[in-house]
Every structure is written in C-alpha cells, then in structure tokens.
C-alpha cells in the first residue's frame, strides 16, 4: 500500500466561528447530543503567523535557560544510568549528571547568546492562528448538526459552492 497524504475533510460547513474555543464548544455540544462526532472536523482558514515578544534577552537569561535545559538532559542521562545499574553510588551519579548537564548547558547558552547577540536581543513565542474556524460534517449529518447547534445554513459567497469548505475550494482551483 502506498502512503496516504493528508487530505481536507469532505462535507459541508455546519457553522463558522471566530475562535477555536467557540468551534470546540460547538463540537462539545454535538457530542453531548450523541451526535456521531467522528463525522466532524474543525478546519481553520486564513492562517497567520504571530510572534509574541516575551522579553529581552540578557546574559543572565541565556545562562539560566542553558543551565535549565542542560539540567534536564543531565537528569535524563543520570536516570538512565540509575535504572540500568542501580548501586549505592547511583544517587551520587544522578546528582553529578544533573550538575554537569547544567554546567555544560550554561556554557552552551552563553556561547550561543554571544554569537547571536546583535541579531536577536529578545525572546519570543511563535504561533500559527486561523481567522475563522469551520465545523465540517458529512453531508448526511449536516441538517441534524445545524438543528442541535441552532444555526442556519451559512450563505455562500458569490464564487463559493456550498458543498465544499473554503480550504478545499482553493486547493482544487489552484
């Protein structure tokens, strides 16, 4: 068998929402009404990349973040040694691995910061958000889903066909 590639869900739009939480609430309401939720999909459209700046980067932050990530790696290695050769000295080895990991992580964090210092002096978090979220259902279940949610059929735009979600149309027309 060949590999299947991801495909857009087929069916009709039951309702459209501005936030993912609203779309989730709609699916929850359908699940509570014993609707076959396996026939549903939430499709986000008009994706936008958002980078939220969380603060400035400093030598102390670089050293602290490096030490924390190194400590986690040291904990992992120390626990592996502890699990596969449990002896009386294993606790000492675990603590040593955490401390060595934190030390090497701190050094790596400071060196990395010094290399990138003038290009990126801030910390941030990246997100991909959609401007609209549509709940899509198989055509046979659309009327029941709309009645449970208490919504009317969405009016198609001038160039839209009501039997396909927007994401499917743009992929097919491209």
């Amino acid at each position: 068998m060949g590999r299947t590639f991801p495909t857009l869900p087929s069916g009709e739009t039951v309702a459209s929402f501005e936030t993912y939480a609203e779309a989730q609430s709609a699916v929850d309401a359908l699940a509570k009404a014993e609707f076959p939720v396996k026939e549903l999909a939430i499709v986000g459209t008009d994706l936008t990349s958002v980078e939220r700046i969380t603060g400035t980067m400093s030598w102390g932050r670089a050293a602290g973040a490096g030490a924390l990530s190194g400590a986690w790696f040291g904990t992992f290695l120390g626990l592996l040694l502890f699990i596969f050769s449990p002896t009386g000295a294993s606790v000492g080895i675990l603590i040593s691995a955490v401390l060595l990991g934190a030390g090497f992580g701190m050094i790596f964090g400071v060196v990395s910061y010094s290399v990138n210092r003038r290009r990126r002096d801030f910390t941030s978090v990246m997100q991909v958000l959609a401007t609209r979220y549509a709940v899509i259902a198989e055509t046979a279940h659309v009327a029941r889903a709309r009645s449970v949610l208490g919504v009317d059929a969405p009016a198609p735009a001038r160039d839209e066909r009501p039997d396909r979600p927007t994401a499917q149309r743009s992929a097919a027309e491209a």
Side-chain angles (χ1 to χ4, degrees), residues 70-71 74-75 77-78 81 89-104:
T75 302
L77 291 179
L81 290 172
S90 294
V91 174
I93 292 173
L94 175 63
I95 293 170
S96 298
V98 171
L99 293 175
L100 282 171
F104 280 112

Side-chain angles (χ1 to χ4, degrees), residues 133-160:
Y133 296 90
V135 175
I136 309 293
E138 290 293 326
T139 308
H141 302 288
V142 171
R144 180 170 174 238
R146 286 183 183 147
S147 69
V148 168
L149 294 177
V151 295
D152 295 327
R158 289 178 288 149
D159 60 340
E160 289 187 14

Side-chain angles (χ1 to χ4, degrees), residues 12-131:
E12 291 183 45
T13 299
V14 173
S16 184
F17 303 95
E18 289 186 21
T19 66
Y20 182 73
E22 292 173 330
Q24 258 187 326
S25 293
V27 172
D28 284 340
L30 290 167
K32 288 175 184 164
E34 297 182 9
F35 186 84
V37 291
K38 286 180 125 182
E39 305 294 329
L40 298 174
I42 298 175
V43 178
T45 56
D46 299 329
L47 298 179
T48 303
S49 173
V50 177
E51 183 174 10
R52 298 190 193 274
I53 310 305
T54 57
T56 58
M57 186 57 117
S58 65
W59 291 102
R61 273 189 127 168
L68 187 61
S69 107
W72 277 113
F73 185 66
T75 302
F76 172 71
L77 291 179
L79 285 174
L80 281 178
L81 290 172
F82 184 76
I83 290 170
F84 290 114
S85 63
T87 63
S90 294
V91 174
I93 292 173
L94 175 63
I95 293 170
S96 298
V98 171
L99 293 175
L100 282 171
F104 280 112
M106 184 183 309
I107 291 169
F108 181 76
V110 168
V111 168
S112 177
Y113 176 63
S114 69
V115 169
N116 293 319
R117 184 159 184 233
R118 295 292 169 212
R119 286 181 278 167
R120 190 169 174 95
D121 277 342
F122 60 91
T123 59
S124 63
V125 176
M126 289 288 292
Q127 296 174 306
V128 176
L129 302 173
T131 57

